[in-house]
């Protein structure tokens, strides 16, 4: 499950991507229409989803992994079962300082990171990425 909506919205406010008043108004509209607050926020402000995830990464003290500009290390991918990567939406991206950078949209899925660490026999460093970019990068990596 990707990062929670409220955490994304709070990060957008804290990082000054959007005003609190705008979020409050959108929250009321979304309750009435039973629509997604993040989607409404992105539409209203014309922000890309990656900007909100970048803000959330900053709030958590995590690196943001821009998968549009990063090509995952094929050696790391060969060591990972594709079904695990697709099911858990995790992508080992690169290795540095003795750790494997793992992109995810769910930074609270500790079991997935422990599994990656165990399978690759290396410690992992968590990096945050938005789920759409992550799904695209996984598809490109295994096509």
């Amino acid at each position: 499950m990707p990062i929670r909506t409220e955490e994304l919205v709070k990060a957008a406010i804290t990082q000054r991507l959007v005003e609190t008043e705008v979020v409050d108004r959108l929250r009321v509209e979304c309750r009435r229409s039973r629509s997604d607050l993040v989607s409404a926020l992105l539409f209203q402000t014309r922000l890309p989803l990656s900007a909100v995830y970048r803000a959330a990464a900053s709030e958590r003290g995590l690196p943001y992994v821009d998968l549009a500009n990063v090509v995952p290390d094929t050696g790391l991918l060969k060591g990972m079962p594709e079904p695990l990567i697709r099911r858990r939406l995790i992508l080992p991206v690169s290795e540095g300082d003795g750790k494997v950078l793992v992109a995810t949209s769910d930074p609270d899925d500790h079991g997935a990171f422990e599994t990656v660490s165990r399978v690759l026999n290396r410690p992992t460093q968590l990096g945050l990425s938005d789920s759409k970019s992550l799904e695209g990068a996984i598809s490109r990596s295994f096509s």
Side-chain angles (χ1 to χ4, degrees), residues 46-108:
R46 305 282 191 244
L47 285 170
L49 182 59
S50 60
V52 178
Y53 271 84
R54 189 179 303 272
S58 177
E59 288 296 302
R60 283 194 176 213
L62 297 172
Y64 177 78
V65 182
D66 184 357
L67 292 169
N69 298 316
V70 173
V71 177
D73 181 323
T74 55
L76 293 172
L77 291 176
K78 287 179 184 175
M80 291 292 304
E82 182 180 346
L84 173 68
I85 290 173
R86 289 187 183 277
R87 187 175 359 97
R88 300 301 275 274
L89 268 182
I90 54 173
L91 186 64
V93 177
S94 62
E95 188 171 14
D97 298 325
K99 292 183 179 179
V100 175
L101 177 62
V102 179
T104 184
S105 61
D106 183 1
D108 298 319

Side-chain angles (χ1 to χ4, degrees), residues 15-78:
Q15 295 290 314
R16 300 175 191 248
L17 298 177
V18 65
E19 302 280 327
T20 304
E21 296 78 23
V22 172
V23 171
D24 291 342
R25 181 177 50 76
L26 287 173
R27 187 174 272 123
V28 170
E29 290 175 16
C30 288
R31 279 190 194 126
R32 264 190 240 142
S33 64
R34 295 183 181 171
S35 58
D36 179 58
L37 179 58
V38 173
S39 297
L41 176 69
L42 297 176
F43 180 79
Q44 180 73 33
T45 61
R46 305 282 191 244
L47 285 170
L49 182 59
S50 60
V52 178
Y53 271 84
R54 189 179 303 272
S58 177
E59 288 296 302
R60 283 194 176 213
L62 297 172
Y64 177 78
V65 182
D66 184 357
L67 292 169
N69 298 316
V70 173
V71 177
D73 181 323
T74 55
L76 293 172
L77 291 176
K78 287 179 184 175

Side-chain angles (χ1 to χ4, degrees), residues 67 89 91 130-142:
L67 292 169
L89 268 182
L91 186 64
D130 66 272
S131 54
K132 288 184 182 182
S133 295
L134 193 54
E135 289 168 354
I138 290 170
S139 291
R140 286 189 305 275
S141 296
F142 291 101

